[in-house]
Amino acid sequence: MSTSPTPEEREKKDAEAKAKEDEEQSKLPYKWTQTIGDLDVTLPVPSNLKGKDFDVVISKTKLKVGMKGQTPIIDGDLPQPIHPDESTWTLSTSSPTTKTMEIHLDKSNKMEWWPHIITSAPKIDTSKITPENSKLSDLDGETRGMVEKMMYDQRQKEMGKPTSEEEKKMEMLRKFQAQHPEMDFSKAKMG
């Protein structure tokens, strides 16, 4: 018979997994962050290099970054497709001896967290990601309408009032009653 772990055991296991994940990520030659819609990769490079010294290929399903004539720093398949035309890379000076290459990848699927930049890199646990607060205006029209309806229904329930679906049913019944005044609806039950 298996028993589920206690909250303390689960917390310890999560902390160990997070420490392992942090260690794996710290060994990568780059740092990366993501939002639900895009990814940003930064990597330090020598300050004497210019944009023309790099070989950067951003395609729908692959990313290759390196200095010309050398083994790439990043080279592999992306876990999900991106919009290459909306993705960019730049080079900026961060100190007298270092520049930073910044790569911005625009995700095709704006509703999915990525476990890694390229499929050969160590994964992060995407179930532990805490997303930033977003605004309703950030959502596309259909999603926004659905979220607004859910919020309305939640407020209605909290006030003990009918949800939008229940309101529709009651309106249909009212119309039916108006069309059929000869019928007795006194014992009609909703639900």
Side-chain angles (χ1 to χ4, degrees):
M1 182 173 131
S2 73
T3 60
S4 26
T6 65
E8 293 80 20
E9 291 170 331
R10 196 174 312 113
E11 199 172 295
K12 183 180 178 203
K13 190 176 177 186
D14 284 351
E16 288 168 357
K18 178 73 174 134
K20 180 178 184 271
E21 183 180 288
D22 288 346
E23 182 185 344
E24 288 174 344
Q25 293 296 311
S26 71
K27 290 178 182 174
L28 294 171
Y30 55 85
K31 302 271 182 249
W32 66 286
T33 58
Q34 68 178 313
T35 66
I36 197 71
D38 53 33
L39 253 106
D40 291 300
V41 183
T42 57
L43 60 138
V45 296
S47 65
N48 62 327
L49 298 176
K50 298 190 179 333
K52 66 181 181 184
D53 299 319
F54 291 94
D55 181 19
V56 179
V57 179
I58 301 173
S59 73
K60 186 173 183 159
T61 58
K62 292 183 183 296
L63 177 64
K64 181 180 173 187
V65 179
M67 287 167 254
K68 287 184 178 169
Q70 295 185 21
T71 304
I73 300 165
I74 303 171
D75 188 10
D77 294 327
L78 300 170
Q80 299 294 326
I82 61 164
H83 297 292
D85 294 340
E86 302 297 321
S87 300
T88 60
W89 70 275
T90 58
L91 209 50
S92 60
T93 303
S94 44
S95 78
T97 58
T98 311
K99 286 185 178 178
T100 301
M101 178 179 282
E102 297 166 348
I103 304 160
H104 174 81
L105 303 176
D106 187 61
K107 296 177 182 177
S108 291
N109 179 350
K110 308 244 183 240
M111 300 303 290
E112 189 170 355
W113 296 106
W114 285 18
H116 40 205
I117 297 292
I118 54 172
T119 56
S120 59
K123 291 183 176 185
I124 63 165
D125 183 355
T126 56
S127 69
K128 302 285 190 242
I129 293 176
T130 307
E132 71 283 351
N133 286 335
S134 59
K135 300 178 191 82
L136 277 176
S137 59
D138 294 342
L139 302 174
D140 64 74
E142 185 179 335
T143 306
R144 180 178 176 165
M146 188 171 62
V147 170
E148 287 175 338
K149 179 182 178 294
M150 290 167 56
M151 290 168 60
Y152 172 81
D153 287 344
Q154 184 62 37
R155 282 192 303 272
Q156 290 292 95
K157 279 184 180 178
E158 287 170 0
M159 296 187 294
K161 294 182 176 178
T163 65
S164 54
E165 287 296 314
E166 293 165 338
E167 285 176 342
K168 278 183 192 174
K169 287 178 185 175
M170 289 177 0
E171 182 59 28
M172 282 174 42
L173 179 61
R174 276 195 292 277
K175 285 180 181 176
F176 188 79
Q177 286 173 326
Q179 292 171 351
H180 301 281
E182 72 282 0
M183 296 178 78
D184 177 19
F185 292 94
S186 61
K187 292 186 174 77
K189 290 189 173 125
M190 291 294 288

